[in-house]
């Protein structure tokens, strides 16, 4: 029997994806178990789902941290192991035109919150971290401390759109308002940008004229609940590998693309 991977989950909301992952672990369709569920807000209703299944929970109140840092920026204590200048140079969440002071405060507040997450997570020693409706971007401070082997990413996210279309906080809304004929969802490893990491899996659905934003969300979520457990199981089976592939452009130059290869299952 394959050994079970230890999965940590971060959420912000109702946690229906979390529920799908819990159910898949309990049913044995994911060779894993959830070792903690963390949230960025006390309002995350999904914490109750975790508690019902006996899963340890914690909460790092991002809103409160950001408010306090804005009120008294001089009282802000950055984590001792983080070099904010290096982290700002690495991240691609904020463009080069972002006002410097604002960008610094954004990264500083996230670093403080992320140090809280890392401290809360440490005792559970997760193999994989899944973002299941976690509505915060993680900075290189957090990512580099969790992804200790650069060739082996271990943080997954689910996004409610067919990336790279419609990154951000309202994927289904953006898809619907644009008048798209298809919508979908994407599971990807995270990198230093917003919803920009290598894609592991995608599912799509048709959008009819008669659809509403509500029905689009319903179609999308139903696919998310299938796709996320599937991608997590691939990880558990050690079948995922991020590869850089080269191809030739029309003018003969060589270009590269990043692809997540899903290996055949072991016999
Ligand atoms: C899901 O639709 C997920 O794709 C989305 O939030 C929802 C969470 O629902 N995530 C993002 O938008 C991340 N940027 P849930 O709490 O019921 O799983």
């Amino acid at each position: 029997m394959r050994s079970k991977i230890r999965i940590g989950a971060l959420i912000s909301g109702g946690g229906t994806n979390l529920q799908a992952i819990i159910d898949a672990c309990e049913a044995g369709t994911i060779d894993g178990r959830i070792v903690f569920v963390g949230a960025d807000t006390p309002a995350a209703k999904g914490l109750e789902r975790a508690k019902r299944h006996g899963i340890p929970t914690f909460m790092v109140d991002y809103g409160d941290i950001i408010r306090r840092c804005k009120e008294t920026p001089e009282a802000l204590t950055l984590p001792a192991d983080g070099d904010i200048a290096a982290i700002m140079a690495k991240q691609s969440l904020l463009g080069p035109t972002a006002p410097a002071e604002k960008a610094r405060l954004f990264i500083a507040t996230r670093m403080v919150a992320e140090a809280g997450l890392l401290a809360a997570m440490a005792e559970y020693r997760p193999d994989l971290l899944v973002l299941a409706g976690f509505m915060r971007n993680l900075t290189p401070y957090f990512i580099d401390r969790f992804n200790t082997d650069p060739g082996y990413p271990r943080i997954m996210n689910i996004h409610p759109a067919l990336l790279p279309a419609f990154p951000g906080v309202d994927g289904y809304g953006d898809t619907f308002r644009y008048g798209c004929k298809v919508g979908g969802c994407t599971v990807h490893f995270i990198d230093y940008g917003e919803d920009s990491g290598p894609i592991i899996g995608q599912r799509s659905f048709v959008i009819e004229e008669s659809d509403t934003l509500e029905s689009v969300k319903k179609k999308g979520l139903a696919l998310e609940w299938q796709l996320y457990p599937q991608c997590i199981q691939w990880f558990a089976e050690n079948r995922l590998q991020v590869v850089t592939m080269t191809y030739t452009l029309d003018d003969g130059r060589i270009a590269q693309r990043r692809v997540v290869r899903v290996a055949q299952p072991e016999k």
Side-chain angles (χ1 to χ4, degrees):
M1 210 182 82
R2 198 191 306 276
S3 66
K4 288 184 188 291
I5 60 161
R6 301 170 64 81
I7 303 166
L10 295 179
I11 62 167
S12 299
T16 63
N17 276 286
L18 172 70
Q19 189 67 56
I21 298 165
I22 293 173
D23 293 347
C25 288
E26 289 183 354
T29 47
I30 293 177
D31 293 320
R33 69 185 180 93
I34 303 198
V35 291
F36 69 79
V37 175
D40 66 324
T41 163
K45 294 228 163 57
L47 289 172
E48 289 309 314
R49 295 180 189 270
K51 286 177 190 155
R52 278 202 290 278
H53 289 263
I55 300 167
T57 61
F58 62 80
M59 194 272 299
V60 174
D61 195 335
Y62 267 61
D64 187 50
I65 291 170
I66 294 165
R67 214 171 13 259
R68 279 190 288 118
C69 291
K70 279 189 177 156
E71 278 165 16
T72 48
E74 63 285 359
L76 185 100
T77 313
L78 288 175
D81 60 346
D83 172 352
I84 188 165
I87 289 157
M88 289 188 69
K90 244 184 198 180
Q91 61 82 30
S92 42
L93 297 165
L94 307 162
T97 55
E101 257 324 289
K102 250 186 149 169
R104 195 175 190 286
L105 190 63
F106 177 88
I107 297 295
T109 51
R110 270 45 177 197
M111 283 172 70
V112 171
E114 289 170 0
L117 288 179
L118 288 163
M121 286 163 49
E123 66 172 297
Y124 301 110
R125 295 173 290 103
D127 300 305
L128 172 71
L129 181 65
V130 295
L131 310 181
F134 185 62
M135 303 307 279
R136 303 285 179 178
N137 289 309
L138 295 168
T139 75
Y141 172 71
F142 181 97
I143 296 169
D144 291 351
R145 272 157 193 76
F146 194 77
N147 283 340
T148 43
D149 175 351
Y152 183 64
R154 300 194 293 141
I155 310 174
M156 277 187 194
N157 180 43
I158 187 147
H159 183 74
L162 290 171
L163 291 172
F166 308 123
V169 294
D170 191 13
Y172 292 135
D174 292 340
T175 302
F176 178 74
R177 283 185 292 273
Y178 200 89
C180 293
K181 303 288 189 189
V182 290
C185 54
T186 303
V187 172
H188 63 100
F189 285 119
I190 72 155
D191 66 5
Y192 298 148
E194 182 171 27
D195 302 322
S196 57
I199 290 173
I200 302 165
Q202 293 184 303
R203 293 280 185 282
S204 64
F205 56 88
V206 171
I207 301 176
E208 313 279 1
E209 247 178 62
S210 56
D211 269 311
T212 60
L213 178 53
E214 202 171 71
S215 68
V216 163
K217 283 187 177 163
K218 209 168 153 191
K219 287 181 186 181
L221 271 171
L223 293 178
E224 291 186 34
W225 302 332
Q226 298 170 16
L227 177 65
Y228 216 176
Q230 169 70 86
C231 293
I232 294 169
Q233 177 59 7
W234 285 335
F235 182 94
E237 292 172 341
N238 203 15
R239 290 170 59 190
L240 299 179
Q241 189 193 4
V242 182
V243 290
T244 302
M245 301 180 76
T246 53
Y247 62 99
T248 310
L249 297 168
D250 287 347
D251 62 9
R253 280 180 303 144
I254 303 291
Q256 292 189 323
R257 65 193 187 113
R258 248 181 344 178
V259 172
V260 178
R261 183 174 289 156
V262 185
Q264 291 301 314
E266 272 176 25
K267 291 256 157 48

